[in-house]
Amino acid sequence: MKITLLKPEDYTRSPWKNGGGILTDITGAHRADSPVKDWDSLLWRFASTPIVTPGPFSYMPGIDRLQMVVKGRGLVLKSPMQEFDEREPFTTVRFTGELEIVTALEQGPVEVVNLMARRGAAEIELAALREPGERPLSAGTHLVYAVSGDCSLRLNSEDILVPDGSTLKVELTEASGLALVSGLAVLASIQPVG
């Protein structure tokens, strides 16, 4: 098991793929054989971003996406085939990067977290940790993002404090147990395929 605390000053900023905004890169992984870390070499990425005006989402062929509103409310993602309702914060929606999506902001700007993965490279899950309690973690990479104030966790038998805005990165080679003691967090889980 490897544990790393990522602080907001460790995060980087980069433009959306379509140039329509700026995202905060919290952490991610790219193909080891790629000389450039770009969208083509991306294996997975966990990021946050404000959505302040309605507009189109980036076209990301081959990328699976999970998204959750963490600040504000009233976000709806509209595609020609269906709508993804994120009006209530901490609701996870799943969609593909090929889908044509336009945002609707019914109650003003929001902030979202995104977990993206190259299809076939990783399986991903995104969940809100709002109530104290334990949950199993499988082998893989898990990210606990403290979205609103400090967050207190217990990983196996170790007590860990994740400061507001920071992310605990937990890399596991075998199953483990995580308990939320106090606070509010988002748990992003990435399991490599193959």
Side-chain angles (χ1 to χ4, degrees):
M1 176 168 59
K2 181 181 177 186
I3 299 174
T4 310
L5 182 63
L6 306 173
K7 298 179 180 177
E9 55 264 30
D10 301 323
Y11 306 160
T12 59
R13 305 316 184 262
S14 60
W16 292 357
K17 190 167 187 276
N18 67 8
I22 298 291
L23 59 81
T24 298
D25 279 309
I26 295 173
T27 186
H30 292 262
R31 287 196 320 267
D33 63 352
S34 177
V36 180
K37 291 183 178 182
D38 59 14
W39 288 103
D40 293 329
S41 67
L42 181 73
L43 294 176
W44 62 267
R45 166 184 263 164
F46 182 59
S48 69
T49 189
I51 301 176
V52 297
T53 57
F57 266 32
S58 300
Y59 178 65
M60 297 181 180
I63 301 292
D64 290 326
R65 301 185 64 178
L66 294 172
Q67 183 175 281
M68 176 189 293
V69 172
V70 294
K71 292 180 184 166
R73 60 189 334 113
L75 176 64
V76 181
L77 309 183
K78 298 185 176 187
S79 80
M81 289 155 308
Q82 70 182 109
E83 286 189 357
F84 299 90
D85 185 348
E86 290 186 80
R87 289 178 178 93
E88 289 301 313
F90 303 104
T91 301
T92 303
V93 297
R94 181 183 294 265
F95 53 96
T96 66
E98 294 87 353
L99 205 55
E100 289 180 32
I101 287 179
V102 176
T103 56
L105 295 169
E106 296 179 351
Q107 297 183 45
V110 297
E111 184 175 325
V112 301
V113 290
N114 287 284
L115 180 58
M116 302 170 240
R118 181 151 314 278
R119 197 165 303 127
E123 295 292 329
I124 53 175
E125 295 295 332
L126 189 64
L129 302 181
R130 294 192 275 187
E131 299 293 331
E134 187 159 341
R135 65 171 52 228
L137 296 182
S138 56
T141 299
H142 303 274
L143 309 166
V144 182
Y145 175 49
V147 294
S148 179
D150 295 349
C151 180
S152 181
L153 308 170
R154 185 169 296 119
L155 185 60
N156 292 333
S157 58
E158 184 181 353
D159 290 327
I160 301 170
L161 180 71
V162 183
D164 181 32
S166 298
T167 303
L168 187 72
K169 183 177 183 180
V170 181
E171 297 167 271
L172 297 174
T173 54
E174 58 186 33
S176 185
L178 173 75
L180 177 69
V181 177
S182 66
L184 173 63
V186 172
L187 173 64
S189 297
I190 304 102
Q191 289 182 283
V193 173

